[in-house]
Amino acid sequence: TMQSSGHRFRDVEHHPLLAENDSYDSSSSEADMAERVWFIRDGCGMVCAIMTWLLVVYADFVVTFVMLLPSKDFWYSVINGVLFNCLAVLALSSHLRTMLTDPGAVPKGNATKEYMDNLQLKPGEVIYKCPKCCSIKPERAHHCSICKRCIRKMDHHCPWVNNCVGEKNQRFFVLFTMYIALISAHALILCGFQFFSCVRGQWTECSDFSPPVTVILMIFLCLEGFLFLTFTAVMFGTQIHSICNDETEIERLKSEKPTWERRLRWEGMKSVFGGQPSLLWINPFAGFQIRRLLLRAKKGGPEFSV
């Protein structure tokens, strides 16, 4: 504990008194951070993110070239091919936006005397500092040891998206789990139809690949689809439950008593997804501006976790 400008300044992790809307006005302000591309340089996370893309590409390859193109039913192939590939694009787009969106990081090193003076706190009022990244912790913020930052409303760190899931990117993470669950279910259904078709007819006619190769590719796809469907469906349900209860996974696991006024279920959904219910809720491209992204990359370059 240290005294500064009549305020008590504590190195603790819990129950911060700083409001979420307080900003940090300095050379490393959030406005400056917003002009940079967010990316976490974590080896494990980058490997998991690449694996996610490769698994989706593998599923798309098997569905397209093993099951749909050899099919004699033209409209069956077209409809399922368009649907599966659209879901795959939406899933990978959601993944990218989750990975490259600042989850709500608190500026590093803002626990300074100048910043405390700008807060205009009453004498004796307690504020809390994170001892790991030397930042004043807003309410409901938690420190991530991988991102090495305090994250507002941090739910958890997900290696599959190589990022934390927090205040600003939770929507994209929910969409990612939803679309992965949908394409996994779609792939399993197509595998069922394909096995039935091959067993009923000739294996040499139901695919352009040899029967052993076809069976192996489809078995791997079934295993992948089942595992991903189970994992993402559970994660999707958990995320929706947390949003409706206005409670992050960390807060639930720590059984933290809410010091904030909890939003109603629909208010929580509107807060995360933005505005009234509409198709924009399930659109990962909503709010995306290519020109702004290019300007950020050109101006500041990527911001790495250091």
Side-chain angles (χ1 to χ4, degrees):
T1 305
M2 55 181 281
Q3 301 290 335
S4 179
S5 303
H7 305 130
R8 287 181 290 167
F9 198 42
R10 296 183 178 178
D11 293 340
V12 296
E13 291 286 339
H14 307 295
H15 308 301
L17 299 181
L18 185 63
E20 289 187 14
N21 294 329
D22 287 332
S23 60
Y24 175 45
D25 187 16
S26 74
S27 59
S28 60
S29 66
E30 293 186 14
D32 293 334
M33 290 167 58
E35 295 301 321
R36 292 172 175 261
V37 176
W38 178 270
F39 182 77
I40 300 301
R41 190 167 53 185
D42 173 60
C44 177
M46 288 188 285
V47 169
C48 289
I50 293 172
M51 285 180 58
T52 301
W53 276 67
L54 291 178
L55 288 170
V56 173
V57 170
Y58 169 78
D60 189 61
F61 169 80
V62 176
V63 167
T64 303
F65 293 97
V66 178
M67 292 189 282
L68 296 183
L69 288 181
S71 175
K72 297 178 181 179
D73 190 332
F74 174 77
W75 288 111
Y76 172 83
S77 299
V78 170
I79 293 174
N80 283 285
V82 170
L83 178 60
F84 188 89
N85 282 277
C86 285
L87 290 175
V89 169
L90 290 170
L92 294 179
S93 300
S94 300
H95 182 274
L96 271 180
R97 295 212 68 180
T98 307
M99 182 171 60
L100 301 179
T101 299
D102 176 359
V106 179
K108 276 186 177 181
N110 65 351
T112 63
K113 181 178 181 300
E114 292 77 16
Y115 181 45
M116 291 174 61
D117 292 338
N118 290 335
L119 292 178
Q120 298 180 349
L121 299 174
K122 297 178 181 179
E125 188 172 353
V126 179
I127 57 177
Y128 295 100
K129 183 186 81 170
C130 174
K132 299 175 183 177
C133 60
C134 296
S135 62
I136 295 180
K137 297 186 67 173
E139 186 177 22
R140 305 183 69 183
H142 293 274
H143 185 86
C144 175
S145 59
I146 299 176
C147 296
K148 300 179 182 177
R149 302 288 282 273
C150 283
I151 307 297
R152 297 178 187 268
K153 290 183 66 176
M154 175 181 169
D155 188 85
H156 68 287
H157 184 94
C158 179
W160 295 104
V161 297
N162 189 33
N163 202 0
C164 274
V165 177
E167 184 178 66
K168 296 182 179 180
N169 69 345
Q170 187 175 24
R171 168 176 170 258
F172 303 122
F173 181 75
V174 172
L175 293 182
F176 167 67
T177 58
M178 182 183 74
Y179 286 124
I180 289 293
L182 288 176
I183 64 173
S184 298
H186 192 192
L188 289 173
I189 293 172
L190 291 176
C191 281
F193 279 114
Q194 187 71 9
F195 274 119
F196 178 77
S197 175
C198 291
V199 170
R200 187 181 60 178
Q202 295 293 328
W203 277 92
T204 54
E205 297 179 0
C206 71
S207 175
D208 292 337
F209 294 85
S210 64
V213 173
T214 300
V215 171
I216 292 174
L217 291 174
M218 291 177 62
I219 287 177
F220 274 113
L221 179 60
C222 287
L223 292 174
E224 176 192 341
F226 177 77
L227 292 175
F228 268 70
L229 175 60
T230 303
F231 175 76
T232 54
V234 170
M235 183 60 69
F236 175 78
T238 302
Q239 288 292 302
I240 295 298
H241 181 267
S242 297
I243 293 171
C244 290
N245 289 338
D246 195 14
E247 181 182 49
T248 67
E249 188 66 15
I250 290 179
E251 292 164 350
R252 186 186 68 81
L253 292 175
K254 290 185 175 181
S255 299
E256 294 185 2
K257 296 181 178 179
T259 58
W260 62 94
E261 184 178 353
R262 286 188 171 179
R263 297 185 177 96
L264 299 176
R265 290 188 175 184
W266 273 111
E267 292 300 320
M269 293 290 288
K270 289 191 289 185
S271 173
V272 171
F273 289 92
Q276 296 295 327
S278 69
L279 290 177
L280 293 177
W281 278 23
I282 59 174
N283 180 13
F285 300 102
F288 179 70
Q289 298 179 356
I290 297 179
R291 182 180 179 184
R292 185 177 181 184
L293 180 64
L294 293 175
L295 289 175
R296 286 181 181 181
K298 183 177 180 181
K299 179 178 179 179
E303 175 171 342
F304 295 110
S305 175
V306 294

